[in-house]
Amino acid sequence: MNQVPMLDLCTEYQYMKQDIDAALQRCLAHQKWIFGPEIEAFEKAVAAYLSVSDCVAVSSGTEALVLSLRALAIERKGTEYFTGDDEIITTPFTFTATGDAILRSGATPVFVDIDPRTYNIDTGRIRDYLSSPQGKARVAGIIPVHLYGQPADMDAIGQIAAEHDLFVVEDVAQAFGATWKTGKLGSLGTTGAFSFFPSKNLGSFGDAGMIATNEKNLAALLRMLIKHGGRDKYNVDHIGYNGRMDTLQAAVLLAKLRYIDEFNAGRERVAAFYTKELSDIEGLFLPVRPDERTADAAGMPHVFHQYTIRTASRDALQAYLTEEGISSMVYYPVPLHNMAVFKGRMQCYGTLSHAEQAAQEVLSLPVGPLQREEDSFFVAQRVKRFFGR
Ligand SMILES: Cc1ncc(COP(=O)(O)O)c(C=O)c1O
């Protein structure tokens, strides 16, 4: 039976094998596993790609978020951690790490609902909360998540942040290479926190992450925090981490970076095919077409980390696709505000009903940079068949 996987890392590796193997061989030869030359080379390459002044290579996307927040607490408040009275606004419809990073920084997450069309944070709700006395007094920053590879509304978020003097930590874990109008995602906030988890558009051979920023002082602080908080080994000023990226991961990522635009274009091609095949099916909602949102966008406004559809008959559709040999995934079945870890540690602003409904209805279909046309055709055909087409 035909099997269509969600992820095909073996095929991707074969495509880039020469470059990756050569990079690994260089590491074996020099044996500089910690802060080897590939770290700085990768940081510089990503900084140039994003047009930012600094990139700091770190151990994971989660740590990129935590480190960003810790550095901001030190820089803006003069304290090692935020306190529970400091609030950070984010979306409940994301991976746990986004909210968990806020808790680990000492602050309180404030969850506001999403825009049901894009699944990204509803900026109107952010404005509403900030016009309340509590919001005005307590909010220190915003973490927009560019979910599935699609930008949150960075115009509105930038404007709100400027009006209220808030920091913005972009969670760019799912959107490496995506653009919002003229800027690459991750370059628009105070910091951008990237994940290179193996399944991401740019994936390492293990855990790795990166922080992008245009603020030199933040970059300097981050470089201290990833090395146990010290200016050097024995002059330690801050509560730090062993938060650096391994040389080996930087070597792999540097080799793969050359392919990222080509790979994102490959994802976009699959997405365009699905959208062409699946439009006009009653009860089936497709991702918002990128050009509907940012007609003036340069580059790729959606890098389709996931191609996510929604339908009230999600579970039945998923069961049918599984029977047909087609993998699919639900990102995310449980919004953060319904997880035990956030109980008593969060604020929920208003109803979060769009996030809750999305959690019941979304389904991500296979989308890969090198996905075979016949596989995309098979997936689209089976989805249509489920809906009686
Ligand atoms: C939206 C989002 N934020 C944060 C993370 C955390 O990244 P990592 O797994 O590299 O720690 C991920 C991915 O895993 C993610 O999808």
Side-chain angles (χ1 to χ4, degrees):
M1 187 167 82
N2 196 17
Q3 297 284 337
V4 188
M6 280 298 279
L7 191 64
D8 187 359
L9 292 180
C10 291
T11 301
E12 291 177 31
Y13 167 59
Q14 287 306 324
Y15 192 81
M16 300 178 280
K17 182 173 169 23
Q18 266 194 334
D19 287 335
I20 293 174
D21 288 3
L24 294 176
Q25 284 300 330
R26 282 193 291 274
C27 292
L28 290 172
H30 69 50
Q31 293 283 316
K32 293 176 181 142
W33 303 116
I34 304 295
F35 288 118
E38 286 82 0
I39 293 287
E40 195 183 338
F42 181 54
E43 288 180 343
K44 289 221 153 87
V46 177
Y49 182 82
L50 299 174
S51 294
V52 295
S53 69
D54 284 87
C55 280
V56 181
V58 301
S59 54
S60 71
T62 305
E63 296 310 301
L65 289 165
V66 174
L67 285 155
S68 291
L69 297 177
R70 284 286 319 283
L72 284 158
I74 294 169
E75 202 215 24
R76 295 216 166 176
K77 281 196 63 148
T79 56
E80 291 290 309
Y81 292 90
F82 290 112
T83 71
D85 286 341
D86 298 311
E87 296 183 342
I88 298 175
I89 297 177
T90 195
T91 162
F93 196 57
T94 177
F95 182 58
T96 327
T98 315
D100 190 42
I102 298 175
L103 294 181
R104 286 176 59 199
S105 77
T108 299
V110 178
F111 295 119
V112 307
D113 211 355
I114 55 167
D115 174 339
R117 280 173 15 113
T118 63
Y119 310 107
N120 281 325
I121 197 161
D122 180 340
T123 54
R125 293 296 192 99
I126 302 179
R127 276 193 194 286
D128 290 348
Y129 185 61
L130 285 166
S131 64
S132 72
Q134 174 159 336
K136 229 181 232 128
R138 293 194 176 178
V139 175
I142 307 171
I143 305 186
V145 179
H146 306 299
L147 200 71
Y148 306 145
Q150 170 162 250
D153 183 344
M154 290 308 291
D155 287 353
I157 289 166
Q159 235 169 41
I160 295 168
E163 279 164 26
H164 294 269
D165 191 25
L166 308 177
F167 64 75
V168 176
V169 173
E170 291 178 75
D171 183 337
V172 216
Q174 301 187 6
F176 193 99
T179 39
W180 174 258
K181 306 205 171 161
T182 53
K184 282 261 185 325
L185 294 187
S187 72
L188 308 170
T190 320
T191 71
F194 290 91
S195 163
F196 302 121
F197 185 80
S199 65
K200 299 295 194 261
N201 289 28
L202 180 61
S204 54
F205 284 3
D207 280 311
M210 182 159 266
I211 303 164
T213 184
N214 279 309
E215 297 195 12
K216 285 274 172 204
N217 46 346
L218 269 184
L221 253 174
L222 289 163
R223 291 189 194 285
M224 286 169 75
L225 288 177
I226 62 170
K227 285 190 278 187
H228 307 283
R231 274 167 286 153
D232 57 46
K233 242 185 192 168
Y234 302 109
N235 285 292
V236 179
D237 301 332
H238 299 292
I239 303 170
Y241 304 82
N242 178 350
R244 61 211 170 205
M245 183 190 288
D246 289 336
T247 303
L248 208 53
Q249 301 304 349
V252 169
L253 289 163
L254 196 53
K256 287 178 120 186
L257 183 63
R258 278 176 228 134
Y259 295 85
I260 189 67
D261 287 342
E262 178 190 343
F263 273 26
N264 280 342
R267 290 172 177 277
E268 203 179 36
R269 261 196 309 280
V270 177
F273 177 77
Y274 284 157
T275 297
K276 178 168 73 71
E277 289 293 309
L278 300 177
S279 47
D280 301 325
I281 295 179
E282 209 181 304
L284 179 67
F285 299 91
L286 305 180
V288 182
R289 286 218 338 258
D291 55 358
E292 283 174 28
R293 297 187 68 215
T294 56
D296 55 347
M300 269 176 267
H302 191 329
V303 289
F304 290 100
H305 176 58
Q306 302 296 341
Y307 185 93
T308 302
I309 59 178
R310 71 186 293 171
T311 167
S313 25
R314 190 264 313 276
D315 293 344
L317 172 61
Q318 187 173 34
Y320 172 71
L321 293 177
T322 304
E323 261 171 41
E324 295 290 324
I326 297 168
S327 308
S328 61
M329 293 292 282
V330 175
Y331 298 116
Y332 294 94
V334 183
L336 268 46
H337 62 282
N338 290 336
M339 290 185 179
V341 63
F342 294 104
K343 211 167 177 202
R345 302 188 175 111
M346 65 180 167
Q347 295 283 338
C348 294
Y349 178 64
T351 104
L352 302 175
S353 56
H354 289 311
E356 293 195 343
Q357 197 181 343
Q360 299 296 315
E361 295 186 349
V362 291
L363 188 67
S364 298
L365 301 177
V367 59
L370 303 174
Q371 190 163 305
R372 298 182 316 168
E373 275 178 31
E374 57 262 45
D375 284 346
S376 305
F377 180 81
F378 181 64
V379 173
Q381 199 211 30
R382 286 302 187 268
V383 173
K384 284 201 275 196
R385 189 175 288 180
F386 175 83
F387 284 98
R389 296 292 188 101

